[in-house]
Amino acid sequence: RRKGRKGARDGSSAMARAAAAAMDLKYDCPECVRRREVNCMARVVDRLVREDGYAVFLHPVSDSVAPNYSRIIKTPMDFTLIRKRLRGLEYDSLENLRQHINLVWRNALDYNPAENMVAKLALRLQRLSIGLFQRLEDRLKVLTVGQRWKGGEEGELLALSAKNPRGRDGG
């Protein structure tokens, strides 16, 4: 007799748990969601900065270091400027961030010969950034207003590249 009753209780408690889980959803204001998106974007930039072991792309390029750079490169871009714009919440989309990061690579490839160490580093970091952006896009799909942000997901984002510490995706 008790087994039958216990089964009935299990069914109703499962429904109660499901109802409680549904009520557990909390509202996140758009600004909170936006800040989480920007934090995820910043982690991608931080990963690229770490991989740029010589800090080649960290600061603006001057003509004293790279002769005629300002004449050849009309729209300079560097990670310091990108970080500043992230802090100021100036990127209204992931695509805008991607365009600026791709501009870093494009400038390096336009200015430096293909066999140059800077050009090779730009290509390596560009490949890494493609994978990071794909993972970031997947992660940001869950960051919509009204969805709950479960602690740790933000940190999991950059575990994304911890598996391949040198940016190699095996292919």
Side-chain angles (χ1 to χ4, degrees), residues 3-49:
K3 284 185 181 180
R5 257 184 106 117
K6 185 178 180 186
R9 273 192 231 145
D10 287 346
S12 62
S13 70
M15 287 177 25
R17 283 192 305 273
M23 290 188 304
D24 192 33
L25 291 177
K26 72 176 187 178
Y27 172 78
D28 278 339
C29 71
E31 183 179 344
C32 297
V33 172
R34 180 80 185 109
R35 287 192 182 280
R36 287 188 195 110
E37 290 173 349
V38 169
N39 287 341
C40 289
M41 290 183 214
R43 284 190 167 97
V44 167
V45 173
D46 291 345
R47 173 66 198 278
L48 293 170
V49 168

Side-chain angles (χ1 to χ4, degrees), residues 7-103:
R9 273 192 231 145
D10 287 346
S12 62
S13 70
M15 287 177 25
R17 283 192 305 273
M23 290 188 304
D24 192 33
L25 291 177
K26 72 176 187 178
Y27 172 78
D28 278 339
C29 71
E31 183 179 344
C32 297
V33 172
R34 180 80 185 109
R35 287 192 182 280
R36 287 188 195 110
E37 290 173 349
V38 169
N39 287 341
C40 289
M41 290 183 214
R43 284 190 167 97
V44 167
V45 173
D46 291 345
R47 173 66 198 278
L48 293 170
V49 168
R50 279 194 312 274
E51 291 297 321
D52 177 13
Y54 299 103
V56 173
F57 306 112
L58 184 58
H59 300 289
V61 178
S62 69
D63 284 337
S64 63
V65 172
N68 297 318
Y69 188 84
S70 62
R71 192 172 54 83
I72 296 168
I73 303 300
K74 298 303 178 196
T75 311
M77 186 57 57
D78 60 86
F79 290 140
T80 298
L81 182 56
I82 291 171
R83 283 176 162 171
K84 178 181 175 188
R85 290 180 176 182
L86 275 168
R87 280 191 306 274
L89 301 176
E90 294 180 39
Y91 291 110
D92 59 355
S93 71
L94 181 59
E95 187 55 33
N96 289 345
L97 174 64
R98 184 191 334 255
Q99 288 173 358
H100 277 168
I101 288 179
N102 284 336
L103 184 57

